Amino acid sequence: MTAVTDFLLNRSSEPRLEAPAPDRETLDRAFACAARAPDHGLLRPWRYLVVEGDGLEALGGLFASACADDTDERQTEKLRTAPLRAPMVIVGIASPRPHPKVPEVEQVMSAAAGMGFLELALQDAGYGVMWRTGSVAYHPGVHEGLGLSENEQIVGFLYTGSVSSAKPPVPRPGVEEFVRHWP
Ligand SMILES: Cc1cc2nc3c(=O)[nH]c(=O)nc-3n(C[C@H](O)[C@H](O)[C@H](O)COP(=O)(O)O)c2cc1C
């Protein structure tokens, strides 16, 4: 097995994150890895927003104001502070466009694969990551506040930073539970 396989077999998402966030060089390399996602038609149907510093409070404010009418006060306050759980949040956006051979779902899957590659590259550089969505990912007010076009979707918020305390191991399914040979 290669170092890549060993790394994959040992990775876990990490919810408890603190400063420092990934540095610029690490980020650039990780985004270059994201751009290696399989991409039918080479449409590059993705983009990313990097949020840090005061931007995290602005993002929380956007979550809270967009969802205020749909949630109670306690939940609204939770949304307001949600982005402060990490020193950096990367918004992964799928930007599908009409194509005669590549349906929208394939373009969204490509953006999600890129988000996965980004997650792995940041972990390989020693940072913790946690891919989150929640109702805010699908809220039109959040989309508008982040400047998404009509055709775009949020594939996730990648919370990243340094691991403050590692999460306990997650039980992993045995391959025989989800793999069959066919026919
Ligand atoms: C599209 C997507 C959305 C997710 N949204 C959330 C979320 O909102 N909250 C959460 O706790 N985990 C969420 N997760 C799961 C975590 O990122 C993580 O995979 C999970 O906690 C299992 O940890 P592991 O990656 O170590 O197996 C999401 C994962 C994906 C792929």
Side-chain angles (χ1 to χ4, degrees):
M1 286 289 174
T2 66
V4 174
T5 309
D6 273 344
F7 165 72
L8 290 172
L9 286 171
N10 287 292
R11 71 153 292 279
S12 276
S13 301
E14 293 293 351
R16 286 179 286 275
L17 301 166
E18 62 184 8
D23 56 83
R24 181 63 195 266
E25 193 187 335
T26 301
L27 267 188
D28 284 352
R29 279 178 69 81
F31 283 126
C33 290
R36 293 294 181 117
D39 174 14
H40 193 178
L42 303 182
L43 300 175
R44 315 295 187 229
W46 59 69
R47 64 188 182 95
Y48 297 89
L49 301 173
V50 179
V51 184
E52 56 187 328
D54 293 346
L56 295 169
E57 283 185 25
L59 184 61
L62 175 62
F63 287 173
S65 62
C67 301
D69 291 345
D70 317 326
T71 52
D72 60 30
E73 208 170 306
R74 205 179 125 265
Q75 187 60 20
T76 302
E77 285 319 300
K78 219 173 145 192
L79 290 173
R80 190 185 302 285
T81 54
L84 306 178
R85 289 176 288 184
M88 178 179 284
V89 176
I90 300 170
V91 190
I93 299 167
S95 307
R97 58 175 189 270
H99 188 280
K101 288 196 183 141
V102 188
E104 180 179 304
V105 64
E106 290 189 11
Q107 298 183 49
V108 175
M109 287 194 287
S110 177
M115 190 76 159
F117 286 11
L118 177 65
E119 175 169 77
L120 295 173
L122 291 172
Q123 288 188 309
D124 189 42
Y127 293 94
V129 293
M130 181 85 181
W131 182 342
R132 298 178 186 273
T133 48
S135 58
V136 288
Y138 311 107
H139 199 292
V142 173
H143 288 193
E144 190 185 340
L146 291 174
L148 269 67
S149 312
E150 276 292 306
N151 62 314
E152 292 186 311
Q153 304 173 35
I154 290 175
V155 296
F157 300 97
L158 202 65
Y159 285 63
T160 186
S162 305
V163 177
S164 59
S165 63
K167 147 181 117 168
V170 174
R172 305 292 173 180
V175 290
E176 68 289 351
E177 293 173 42
F178 60 92
V179 180
R180 294 281 182 276
H181 290 261
W182 186 93

